[in-house]
Amino acid sequence: MLKQSFGTDTHGREAHLYTLANANGTQLKVTTLGAAVVSFVFRDKNKIMRDIVLGYDKAESYIEQGGYYFGATVGRYANRISGAKLTIGGVEYALEANSETNNLHSGSNGVSHKIWDVECMNEEQNSITMKIESGDLEQGFPGTMQIKVTFTLTDDDAVRIDYEAVSDKDTVANFTNHSYFNLAGHDGGFVGSQKLKIYADAFTPVTPTGSIPTGELRPVAGTPFDFTQFKEIGKEINDTYDQLTYTKGYDHNFVLKNGGRLELMAEAVCESTGIHLYAYTDRPGVQLYAGNFIAEHAGKGGARYGERHGFCLEAQCFPDAVNNPAFETPLLKAGEVYTAAAVYRLALD
Ligand code: BGC
């Protein structure tokens, strides 16, 4: 496993980049800054090596563009928490209101923006485990939490991501990975022609402002949110359906049917490269975010990134589940072990 310097954070602390590879030549790079996936390279149908996730060449750029969460591990509560507060055991905890009046991705200084330690590298399993401690009331969340994430590059060209977290007080936990995929290559531009299938019959509509789920589970049938059969991401993205206008395109949670088992959540395909992504999780939901808010800027190797140049499939508890009794609770009791998994597998079939 190759280890390289990846630059420094604002405190001058060094971030590292680790490269994992398998016998097929598939390569995964992860950095200790935000425990983030930096690149995922796969041989396409034309035998060209394609890097299919957006990212940057150095830690400094990740810090500068932190609001995009390229490839990052997001927690302690991914997605939104309404009113930037939650109540546990009758005690109200205030969080950073960094998205209108709400909390998004746990705030601007969460674990996505910090340098993690490497706990172990397992050459045989082709995996690396990173860990970080998040203190009691850090970002407002109760309990000192020990968090671990393991990235495994499998022989069948998947990155498997396993999360583990334990807190010494009752708290909430909801970790996800925020990779932006572009199956034409990270520099491939608008993802609109790539086809997507999501294993969900319903999604969670949001409020007109603030993007907080209303509690409704709305059937996707007859709406632009119907991805039960492969459909181009761009086909209806500019539709006037109100849920799309609220969020400038897809930025919604879909209701999965896996019953807590690791099962397919989505697939995506790109005709020009032949790359087929199979995505799995054991979480109840997946946020489809179609990169609606990416401003034009420089990415890896001088690539130009812009609006809708990547799509995220963020496996998660439902947004704002902490404040919504209709949703499966993300509560984590003191001493209990939180686990979650997601797999993103590439193939040419
Ligand atoms: C959110 C988007 C947000 C993006 C980057 C996504 O998970 O749903 O609304 O713009 O993350 O922060």
Side-chain angles (χ1 to χ4, degrees), residues 275-304:
I275 299 178
H276 190 152
L277 169 71
Y278 293 85
Y280 307 75
T281 190
D282 57 1
R283 300 293 86 203
V286 59
Q287 181 91 0
L288 168 62
Y289 171 53
N292 312 314
F293 304 111
I294 305 175
E296 205 195 318
H297 71 287
K300 275 182 285 193
R304 294 306 293 174

mmCIF file of all heavy atoms in Angstrom, residues 275-304:
data_model
loop_
_atom_site.group_PDB
_atom_site.id
_atom_site.type_symbol
_atom_site.label_atom_id
_atom_site.label_comp_id
_atom_site.label_asym_id
_atom_site.label_seq_id
_atom_site.Cartn_x
_atom_site.Cartn_y
_atom_site.Cartn_z
ATOM 1 N N ILE A 275 -19.053 1.716 -18.249
ATOM 2 C CA ILE A 275 -18.906 1.467 -16.801
ATOM 3 C C ILE A 275 -20.275 1.402 -16.132
ATOM 4 O O ILE A 275 -21.136 2.250 -16.339
ATOM 5 C CB ILE A 275 -18.000 2.523 -16.131
ATOM 6 C CG1 ILE A 275 -16.594 2.471 -16.759
ATOM 7 C CG2 ILE A 275 -17.913 2.265 -14.619
ATOM 8 C CD1 ILE A 275 -15.615 3.504 -16.226
ATOM 9 N N HIS A 276 -20.433 0.355 -15.345
ATOM 10 C CA HIS A 276 -21.686 0.059 -14.646
ATOM 11 C C HIS A 276 -21.379 0.059 -13.141
ATOM 12 O O HIS A 276 -20.511 -0.686 -12.692
ATOM 13 C CB HIS A 276 -22.155 -1.332 -15.108
ATOM 14 C CG HIS A 276 -23.536 -1.689 -14.674
ATOM 15 N ND1 HIS A 276 -24.334 -2.545 -15.382
ATOM 16 C CD2 HIS A 276 -24.272 -1.325 -13.588
ATOM 17 C CE1 HIS A 276 -25.501 -2.693 -14.766
ATOM 18 N NE2 HIS A 276 -25.479 -1.968 -13.671
ATOM 19 N N LEU A 277 -22.049 0.920 -12.439
ATOM 20 C CA LEU A 277 -21.864 1.010 -10.983
ATOM 21 C C LEU A 277 -23.001 0.267 -10.289
ATOM 22 O O LEU A 277 -24.181 0.485 -10.605
ATOM 23 C CB LEU A 277 -21.886 2.487 -10.559
ATOM 24 C CG LEU A 277 -21.980 2.783 -9.062
ATOM 25 C CD1 LEU A 277 -20.682 2.439 -8.334
ATOM 26 C CD2 LEU A 277 -22.309 4.265 -8.822
ATOM 27 N N TYR A 278 -22.625 -0.614 -9.383
ATOM 28 C CA TYR A 278 -23.601 -1.300 -8.536
ATOM 29 C C TYR A 278 -23.366 -0.790 -7.116
ATOM 30 O O TYR A 278 -22.257 -0.919 -6.594
ATOM 31 C CB TYR A 278 -23.385 -2.810 -8.558
ATOM 32 C CG TYR A 278 -23.674 -3.484 -9.882
ATOM 33 C CD1 TYR A 278 -22.700 -3.535 -10.885
ATOM 34 C CD2 TYR A 278 -24.900 -4.074 -10.141
ATOM 35 C CE1 TYR A 278 -22.959 -4.156 -12.101
ATOM 36 C CE2 TYR A 278 -25.175 -4.701 -11.358
ATOM 37 C CZ TYR A 278 -24.193 -4.735 -12.322
ATOM 38 O OH TYR A 278 -24.459 -5.343 -13.534
ATOM 39 N N ALA A 279 -24.398 -0.218 -6.495
ATOM 40 C CA ALA A 279 -24.227 0.350 -5.148
ATOM 41 C C ALA A 279 -25.132 -0.380 -4.154
ATOM 42 O O ALA A 279 -26.305 -0.622 -4.448
ATOM 43 C CB ALA A 279 -24.553 1.834 -5.168
ATOM 44 N N TYR A 280 -24.563 -0.727 -3.017
ATOM 45 C CA TYR A 280 -25.276 -1.524 -2.016
ATOM 46 C C TYR A 280 -25.223 -0.812 -0.657
ATOM 47 O O TYR A 280 -24.253 -0.130 -0.358
ATOM 48 C CB TYR A 280 -24.596 -2.881 -1.808
ATOM 49 C CG TYR A 280 -24.347 -3.702 -3.050
ATOM 50 C CD1 TYR A 280 -23.318 -3.371 -3.937
ATOM 51 C CD2 TYR A 280 -25.128 -4.821 -3.347
ATOM 52 C CE1 TYR A 280 -23.079 -4.138 -5.080
ATOM 53 C CE2 TYR A 280 -24.897 -5.591 -4.480
ATOM 54 C CZ TYR A 280 -23.861 -5.239 -5.339
ATOM 55 O OH TYR A 280 -23.636 -5.991 -6.468
ATOM 56 N N THR A 281 -26.227 -1.020 0.144
ATOM 57 C CA THR A 281 -26.140 -0.567 1.536
ATOM 58 C C THR A 281 -27.080 -1.370 2.425
ATOM 59 O O THR A 281 -27.973 -2.064 1.932
ATOM 60 C CB THR A 281 -26.472 0.935 1.683
ATOM 61 O OG1 THR A 281 -26.136 1.360 3.012
ATOM 62 C CG2 THR A 281 -27.951 1.243 1.466
ATOM 63 N N ASP A 282 -26.869 -1.203 3.725
ATOM 64 C CA ASP A 282 -27.802 -1.776 4.713
ATOM 65 C C ASP A 282 -28.604 -0.659 5.397
ATOM 66 O O ASP A 282 -29.355 -0.899 6.323
ATOM 67 C CB ASP A 282 -27.038 -2.596 5.770
ATOM 68 C CG ASP A 282 -25.965 -1.783 6.490
ATOM 69 O OD1 ASP A 282 -25.810 -0.575 6.203
ATOM 70 O OD2 ASP A 282 -25.270 -2.362 7.350
ATOM 71 N N ARG A 283 -28.412 0.573 4.950
ATOM 72 C CA ARG A 283 -29.113 1.736 5.538
ATOM 73 C C ARG A 283 -30.551 1.831 5.009
ATOM 74 O O ARG A 283 -30.839 1.343 3.918
ATOM 75 C CB ARG A 283 -28.379 3.040 5.171
ATOM 76 C CG ARG A 283 -26.935 3.168 5.643
ATOM 77 C CD ARG A 283 -26.813 3.247 7.129
ATOM 78 N NE ARG A 283 -26.760 1.934 7.748
ATOM 79 C CZ ARG A 283 -27.080 1.680 9.000
ATOM 80 N NH1 ARG A 283 -27.504 2.621 9.797
ATOM 81 N NH2 ARG A 283 -27.007 0.456 9.485
ATOM 82 N N PRO A 284 -31.436 2.539 5.714
ATOM 83 C CA PRO A 284 -32.826 2.652 5.232
ATOM 84 C C PRO A 284 -33.032 3.612 4.062
ATOM 85 O O PRO A 284 -34.051 3.534 3.388
ATOM 86 C CB PRO A 284 -33.599 3.153 6.465
ATOM 87 C CG PRO A 284 -32.571 3.744 7.373
ATOM 88 C CD PRO A 284 -31.268 3.050 7.091
ATOM 89 N N GLY A 285 -32.074 4.525 3.830
ATOM 90 C CA GLY A 285 -32.286 5.521 2.786
ATOM 91 C C GLY A 285 -31.041 5.800 1.968
ATOM 92 O O GLY A 285 -29.921 5.439 2.351
ATOM 93 N N VAL A 286 -31.262 6.438 0.821
ATOM 94 C CA VAL A 286 -30.136 6.919 0.019
ATOM 95 C C VAL A 286 -30.508 8.286 -0.530
ATOM 96 O O VAL A 286 -31.585 8.479 -1.068
ATOM 97 C CB VAL A 286 -29.750 5.939 -1.113
ATOM 98 C CG1 VAL A 286 -30.888 5.651 -2.084
ATOM 99 C CG2 VAL A 286 -28.543 6.485 -1.894
ATOM 100 N N GLN A 287 -29.588 9.242 -0.360
ATOM 101 C CA GLN A 287 -29.782 10.579 -0.898
ATOM 102 C C GLN A 287 -29.200 10.614 -2.305
ATOM 103 O O GLN A 287 -28.009 10.363 -2.501
ATOM 104 C CB GLN A 287 -29.054 11.618 -0.015
ATOM 105 C CG GLN A 287 -29.202 13.056 -0.471
ATOM 106 C CD GLN A 287 -30.396 13.771 0.163
ATOM 107 O OE1 GLN A 287 -31.137 13.175 0.958
ATOM 108 N NE2 GLN A 287 -30.594 15.028 -0.160
ATOM 109 N N LEU A 288 -30.042 10.897 -3.272
ATOM 110 C CA LEU A 288 -29.548 11.163 -4.623
ATOM 111 C C LEU A 288 -29.323 12.663 -4.705
ATOM 112 O O LEU A 288 -30.271 13.451 -4.616
ATOM 113 C CB LEU A 288 -30.568 10.736 -5.686
ATOM 114 C CG LEU A 288 -30.257 11.251 -7.103
ATOM 115 C CD1 LEU A 288 -28.926 10.729 -7.626
ATOM 116 C CD2 LEU A 288 -31.386 10.903 -8.074
ATOM 117 N N TYR A 289 -28.075 13.035 -4.832
ATOM 118 C CA TYR A 289 -27.742 14.451 -5.004
ATOM 119 C C TYR A 289 -27.031 14.572 -6.349
ATOM 120 O O TYR A 289 -25.972 13.968 -6.549
ATOM 121 C CB TYR A 289 -26.857 14.946 -3.850
ATOM 122 C CG TYR A 289 -26.299 16.330 -4.084
ATOM 123 C CD1 TYR A 289 -27.139 17.387 -4.414
ATOM 124 C CD2 TYR A 289 -24.931 16.574 -4.011
ATOM 125 C CE1 TYR A 289 -26.626 18.657 -4.668
ATOM 126 C CE2 TYR A 289 -24.413 17.841 -4.250
ATOM 127 C CZ TYR A 289 -25.267 18.875 -4.581
ATOM 128 O OH TYR A 289 -24.755 20.121 -4.849
ATOM 129 N N ALA A 290 -27.631 15.312 -7.261
ATOM 130 C CA ALA A 290 -27.117 15.365 -8.638
ATOM 131 C C ALA A 290 -26.146 16.527 -8.866
ATOM 132 O O ALA A 290 -26.019 17.014 -9.984
ATOM 133 C CB ALA A 290 -28.278 15.434 -9.623
ATOM 134 N N GLY A 291 -25.457 16.937 -7.825
ATOM 135 C CA GLY A 291 -24.410 17.956 -7.985
ATOM 136 C C GLY A 291 -24.933 19.307 -8.434
ATOM 137 O O GLY A 291 -24.224 20.071 -9.103
ATOM 138 N N ASN A 292 -26.166 19.611 -8.028
ATOM 139 C CA ASN A 292 -26.825 20.829 -8.512
ATOM 140 C C ASN A 292 -26.107 22.123 -8.140
ATOM 141 O O ASN A 292 -26.268 23.132 -8.802
ATOM 142 C CB ASN A 292 -28.254 20.913 -7.956
ATOM 143 C CG ASN A 292 -28.997 19.604 -8.138
ATOM 144 O OD1 ASN A 292 -28.955 19.025 -9.201
ATOM 145 N ND2 ASN A 292 -29.647 19.115 -7.089
ATOM 146 N N PHE A 293 -25.349 22.061 -7.052
ATOM 147 C CA PHE A 293 -24.761 23.310 -6.550
ATOM 148 C C PHE A 293 -23.244 23.391 -6.767
ATOM 149 O O PHE A 293 -22.570 24.199 -6.129
ATOM 150 C CB PHE A 293 -25.077 23.469 -5.052
ATOM 151 C CG PHE A 293 -26.560 23.406 -4.757
ATOM 152 C CD1 PHE A 293 -27.100 22.331 -4.061
ATOM 153 C CD2 PHE A 293 -27.410 24.404 -5.201
ATOM 154 C CE1 PHE A 293 -28.464 22.259 -3.797
ATOM 155 C CE2 PHE A 293 -28.775 24.346 -4.946
ATOM 156 C CZ PHE A 293 -29.309 23.266 -4.244
ATOM 157 N N ILE A 294 -22.713 22.549 -7.662
ATOM 158 C CA ILE A 294 -21.264 22.634 -7.897
ATOM 159 C C ILE A 294 -20.987 23.841 -8.804
ATOM 160 O O ILE A 294 -21.443 23.896 -9.945
ATOM 161 C CB ILE A 294 -20.703 21.369 -8.593
ATOM 162 C CG1 ILE A 294 -21.055 20.093 -7.814
ATOM 163 C CG2 ILE A 294 -19.192 21.482 -8.769
ATOM 164 C CD1 ILE A 294 -20.628 18.803 -8.500
ATOM 165 N N ALA A 295 -20.240 24.798 -8.263
ATOM 166 C CA ALA A 295 -19.860 25.975 -9.066
ATOM 167 C C ALA A 295 -18.679 25.585 -9.948
ATOM 168 O O ALA A 295 -17.937 24.650 -9.623
ATOM 169 C CB ALA A 295 -19.458 27.118 -8.144
ATOM 170 N N GLU A 296 -18.489 26.294 -11.033
ATOM 171 C CA GLU A 296 -17.372 25.956 -11.898
ATOM 172 C C GLU A 296 -16.060 26.209 -11.166
ATOM 173 O O GLU A 296 -15.840 27.285 -10.611
ATOM 174 C CB GLU A 296 -17.438 26.774 -13.190
ATOM 175 C CG GLU A 296 -16.709 26.044 -14.300
ATOM 176 C CD GLU A 296 -16.404 26.899 -15.504
ATOM 177 O OE1 GLU A 296 -17.284 27.685 -15.900
ATOM 178 O OE2 GLU A 296 -15.273 26.766 -16.019
ATOM 179 N N HIS A 297 -15.214 25.207 -11.129
ATOM 180 C CA HIS A 297 -13.907 25.365 -10.475
ATOM 181 C C HIS A 297 -12.978 24.225 -10.891
ATOM 182 O O HIS A 297 -13.406 23.285 -11.557
ATOM 183 C CB HIS A 297 -14.070 25.456 -8.946
ATOM 184 C CG HIS A 297 -14.469 24.173 -8.284
ATOM 185 N ND1 HIS A 297 -15.731 23.630 -8.372
ATOM 186 C CD2 HIS A 297 -13.763 23.324 -7.492
ATOM 187 C CE1 HIS A 297 -15.796 22.515 -7.660
ATOM 188 N NE2 HIS A 297 -14.602 22.303 -7.123
ATOM 189 N N ALA A 298 -11.704 24.332 -10.462
ATOM 190 C CA ALA A 298 -10.692 23.354 -10.876
ATOM 191 C C ALA A 298 -10.680 22.145 -9.964
ATOM 192 O O ALA A 298 -10.675 22.269 -8.739
ATOM 193 C CB ALA A 298 -9.325 24.022 -10.878
ATOM 194 N N GLY A 299 -10.654 20.973 -10.576
ATOM 195 C CA GLY A 299 -10.542 19.726 -9.820
ATOM 196 C C GLY A 299 -9.225 19.021 -10.105
ATOM 197 O O GLY A 299 -8.252 19.669 -10.513
ATOM 198 N N LYS A 300 -9.218 17.725 -9.928
ATOM 199 C CA LYS A 300 -7.997 16.927 -10.103
ATOM 200 C C LYS A 300 -7.377 17.142 -11.480
ATOM 201 O O LYS A 300 -8.095 17.160 -12.474
ATOM 202 C CB LYS A 300 -8.340 15.441 -9.977
ATOM 203 C CG LYS A 300 -8.364 14.919 -8.566
ATOM 204 C CD LYS A 300 -8.677 13.422 -8.519
ATOM 205 C CE LYS A 300 -10.122 13.120 -8.771
ATOM 206 N NZ LYS A 300 -10.503 11.731 -8.441
ATOM 207 N N GLY A 301 -6.070 17.264 -11.488
ATOM 208 C CA GLY A 301 -5.329 17.337 -12.751
ATOM 209 C C GLY A 301 -5.783 18.450 -13.671
ATOM 210 O O GLY A 301 -5.681 18.336 -14.886
ATOM 211 N N GLY A 302 -6.318 19.509 -13.104
ATOM 212 C CA GLY A 302 -6.732 20.661 -13.919
ATOM 213 C C GLY A 302 -8.103 20.501 -14.561
ATOM 214 O O GLY A 302 -8.528 21.348 -15.345
ATOM 215 N N ALA A 303 -8.814 19.421 -14.250
ATOM 216 C CA ALA A 303 -10.159 19.232 -14.811
ATOM 217 C C ALA A 303 -11.062 20.370 -14.362
ATOM 218 O O ALA A 303 -10.895 20.895 -13.259
ATOM 219 C CB ALA A 303 -10.733 17.900 -14.339
ATOM 220 N N ARG A 304 -12.001 20.749 -15.210
ATOM 221 C CA ARG A 304 -12.988 21.767 -14.828
ATOM 222 C C ARG A 304 -14.234 21.060 -14.360
ATOM 223 O O ARG A 304 -14.798 20.223 -15.082
ATOM 224 C CB ARG A 304 -13.363 22.666 -16.017
ATOM 225 C CG ARG A 304 -12.256 23.546 -16.561
ATOM 226 C CD ARG A 304 -11.565 24.435 -15.560
ATOM 227 N NE ARG A 304 -12.413 25.501 -14.991
ATOM 228 C CZ ARG A 304 -12.024 26.314 -14.014
ATOM 229 N NH1 ARG A 304 -10.836 26.177 -13.459
ATOM 230 N NH2 ARG A 304 -12.841 27.239 -13.555
#
